[in-house]
Amino acid sequence: MNFAALRVVRCMKVQSIVAGHRVPHVLTSCIRQPIQTINTSSAHNEISSQESFELRHQVSSMKKNNTNWVMYRAGSVGLLAAVAGCFICPGNAIVDFATITLIVHHNYFGIKSVLADYMPLFFKDGFTNMVMIAWLIISIVTLGLLYAFNYNNIGFSKAVNNFFKL
Amino acid sequence: MSSGLRISRTVMRSSSPVLSLLTTQTLRCSATAAAQTTEQNQRLKTFSIYRWNPEAEGDMKLPVMHKYQVDLNDCGPMILDALIKIKNEQDPTLTFRRSCREGICGSCAMNIGGTNTLACLARIDTNLSKKTKIYPLPHMYVVKDLVPDMNNFYAQYRSIEPFLKQKDASKLGKENFQSVEDRQKLDGLYECILCACCSTSCPSYWWSSDKYLGPAVLMQAYRWIIDSRDEYQKERLDRMNDPFSLYKCHTIMNCTKACPKGLNPGLAIAELKKMLATHNSAEVASPKPAAQ
């Protein structure tokens, strides 16, 4: 994060706002002019290059984050139900596959969020993106291997059961 | 000492010149006696205060903790009283913001004993064996001593457009009616004094303060979204729909704990997330014409 550039950009923004407030003879101009409607909707406002840098993550956003958030929370609740199901009916194939899928889904987005929080503090954007892709590949491989284990072997819930019996 | 003076005045008014001479002699003795006892009865509290001067030279360039001792017998009960006393009597270079001294302006927000509060509302801990540590608000650029740079915070507040916006231009100049129930929805939201105690207590805001808006600004965004008089609800919600502005909140809840006015920004953010869950961004981008 370029602190010096941010500071300069912020200073410029403050200066432009302060300059805009210097209006001489405010009262007289208010009385003479008719009331004008101000259109403040974002579609009509032009965005300066300075602002578009500061709002870059909003400008480039795909606007899917609200539905993403719903998926994460649905996945968390579903995971609770799936783990409960694992205890209730241990060998059930559907419950096993559901548990695996939801665990990998929950893990993937959870660690992705942690990486998104802390990686940009220490590393450049390019390296962070590489680590994200690496995590995606690891998650897919994990999912594939767990599916294979579930299909070929005794099943996820029974395997965990045996593990704890050791 | 002042009470001694008061008594002496009434005595002197009703006394003869000879008697008045005697009373002045006794007054002088009692004053010195009183001075000796207050020195012995001093309750000295140590304040360890963060000091940094941007114009310092050489080895004074780094921030440093200065210790000051204040007699609590001669000081008001709040931390701000102690800071003003130190600035008046011991070190005039101590720099901090203050204005109303009653917890309504939000100027004196700082980190006292590890917690972000207003100095005018934080009582001095009278335990003399412990020292009180005073730092500026955490993870903010420091202008000098206890003064943080609030420009980023204010720019974020400006970016949510904290004013009433209506689409119907004919409503301009007319009173906006609001029911009692709708007005009650704003209770607990409008009282925010923008002191930044909550935002600067949020670890997520520490790590992403350029992109995450922080609990103070998000609570104000919620305040304008649920205002029944405002007509830009969908657009305001749409402004939050990106990875950072709102969704960097991981419900740490430091904000609600830190608020010196007892408000609940964490709850407001949760309500925002709930409202966004059923929000359709495509509708805002290309609005359908209203059915006639």
Side-chain angles (χ1 to χ4, degrees):
Chain A
M1 212 157 66
N2 194 346
F3 293 116
L6 275 174
R7 224 178 277 141
V8 167
V9 162
R10 246 183 270 132
C11 282
M12 282 161 61
K13 193 163 185 170
V14 170
Q15 277 171 20
S16 64
I17 290 159
V18 166
H21 283 164
R22 283 198 209 109
V23 180
H25 310 297
V26 176
L27 282 172
T28 48
S29 59
C30 274
I31 294 165
R32 277 187 217 134
Q33 287 165 8
I35 296 169
Q36 287 176 330
T37 56
I38 307 160
N39 198 332
T40 50
S41 77
S42 50
H44 294 267
N45 278 348
E46 278 164 13
I47 193 164
S48 70
S49 63
Q50 173 184 320
E51 279 177 347
S52 67
F53 169 75
E54 293 193 335
L55 299 175
R56 61 197 181 282
H57 54 287
Q58 280 127 25
V59 171
S60 63
S61 163
M62 307 229 271
K63 300 286 184 190
K64 286 187 306 188
N65 291 84
N66 57 338
T67 45
N68 283 353
W69 183 84
V70 173
M71 297 301 295
Y72 303 156
R73 295 301 177 265
S76 306
V77 172
L79 187 58
L80 275 173
V83 169
C86 269
F87 281 107
I88 296 169
C89 29
N92 194 331
I94 300 169
V95 169
D96 278 343
F97 276 108
T99 313
I100 290 176
T101 315
L102 285 171
I103 283 177
V104 176
H105 175 274
H106 187 78
N107 273 4
Y108 170 67
F109 286 111
I111 300 285
K112 189 172 181 212
S113 182
V114 171
L115 291 173
D117 271 349
Y118 296 112
M119 294 285 289
L121 296 176
F122 304 107
F123 306 109
K124 288 190 212 164
D125 277 0
F127 183 72
T128 307
N129 283 338
M130 274 182 4
V131 173
M132 295 283 200
I133 292 167
W135 174 240
L136 177 63
I137 292 169
I138 293 170
S139 280
I140 292 171
V141 167
T142 310
L143 189 68
L145 289 172
L146 276 170
Y147 269 9
F149 178 84
N150 213 13
Y151 189 70
N152 296 327
N153 231 314
I154 53 167
F156 182 72
S157 41
K158 286 222 168 100
V160 173
N161 234 357
N162 290 351
F163 181 76
F164 281 115
K165 279 185 192 153
L166 277 171
Chain B
M1 208 163 97
S2 58
S3 56
L5 279 167
R6 232 180 281 132
I7 292 167
S8 73
R9 225 184 292 130
T10 51
V11 166
M12 286 170 97
R13 272 203 206 110
S14 57
S15 64
S16 64
V18 174
L19 209 58
S20 68
L21 189 68
L22 275 169
T23 51
T24 48
Q25 295 279 22
T26 50
L27 170 65
R28 213 175 289 135
C29 292
S30 68
T32 44
Q36 276 175 356
T37 46
T38 46
E39 260 181 40
Q40 285 163 5
N41 290 348
Q42 263 188 340
R43 285 161 58 223
L44 289 178
K45 172 83 179 175
T46 311
F47 290 94
S48 180
I49 304 179
Y50 178 100
R51 300 297 309 274
W52 180 64
N53 185 357
E55 293 159 358
E57 306 282 319
D59 45 314
M60 296 304 289
K61 266 194 174 171
L62 292 174
V64 113
M65 297 302 286
H66 263 179
K67 288 199 177 72
Y68 299 97
Q69 296 217 309
V70 173
D71 179 17
L72 294 186
N73 287 331
D74 198 30
C75 181
M78 303 301 185
I79 297 277
L80 185 64
D81 298 319
L83 285 172
I84 290 171
K85 191 174 163 64
I86 293 168
K87 193 175 170 75
N88 275 349
E89 297 171 8
Q90 296 181 41
D91 189 352
T93 63
L94 177 64
T95 309
F96 52 92
R97 286 195 180 115
R98 83 284 174 269
S99 183
C100 71
R101 61 103 177 89
E102 59 184 355
I104 197 63
C105 70
S107 305
C108 59
M110 51 185 79
N111 189 303
I112 296 163
T115 316
N116 291 348
T117 44
L118 303 172
C120 57
L121 290 182
R123 237 168 251 283
I124 300 172
D125 181 8
T126 47
N127 184 345
L128 301 175
S129 59
K130 288 189 199 160
K131 64 176 187 234
T132 297
K133 295 181 193 166
I134 302 177
Y135 282 87
L137 291 174
H139 213 272
M140 298 277 261
Y141 288 113
V142 174
V143 175
K144 185 180 180 183
D145 290 352
L146 301 171
V147 176
D149 177 12
M150 299 285 279
N151 286 314
N152 183 34
F153 181 75
Y154 296 146
Q156 286 170 333
Y157 181 57
R158 234 175 280 127
S159 75
I160 58 151
E161 297 179 323
F163 40 83
L164 196 65
K165 292 176 10 173
Q166 289 175 328
K167 296 184 174 165
D168 189 358
S170 68
K171 279 193 188 173
L172 210 63
K174 290 189 197 153
E175 185 181 356
N176 292 304
F177 292 114
Q178 189 175 47
S179 70
V180 173
E181 292 79 25
D182 282 336
R183 173 60 184 81
Q184 275 175 351
K185 287 185 199 162
L186 299 176
D187 287 339
L189 302 172
Y190 78 89
E191 297 98 327
C192 177
I193 57 175
L194 296 171
C195 63
C197 282
C198 59
S199 287
T200 47
S201 67
C202 176
S204 208
Y205 189 73
W206 294 343
W207 315 137
S208 325
S209 42
D210 55 338
K211 300 193 277 240
Y212 174 48
L213 292 177
V217 172
L218 287 171
M219 190 160 89
Q220 289 310 298
Y222 180 61
R223 174 250 177 279
W224 287 105
I225 288 169
I226 57 151
D227 194 335
S228 60
R229 303 166 291 178
D230 187 86
E231 288 168 9
Y232 276 79
Q233 196 193 58
K234 288 203 170 64
E235 286 82 349
R236 287 183 190 274
L237 277 172
D238 201 54
R239 190 241 173 274
M240 305 283 156
N241 199 0
D242 59 72
F244 286 97
S245 303
L246 166 69
Y247 287 110
K248 275 285 156 247
C249 169
H250 301 304
T251 55
I252 297 168
M253 294 304 270
N254 262 7
C255 49
T256 306
K257 190 154 185 265
C259 181
K261 302 295 287 176
L263 307 178
N264 197 342
L267 179 66
I269 294 173
E271 295 291 333
L272 271 177
K273 287 176 181 167
K274 273 164 53 182
M275 290 178 86
L276 260 181
T278 48
H279 169 79
N280 189 350
S281 269
E283 249 180 46
V284 178
S286 50
K288 292 178 202 148
Q292 294 273 320

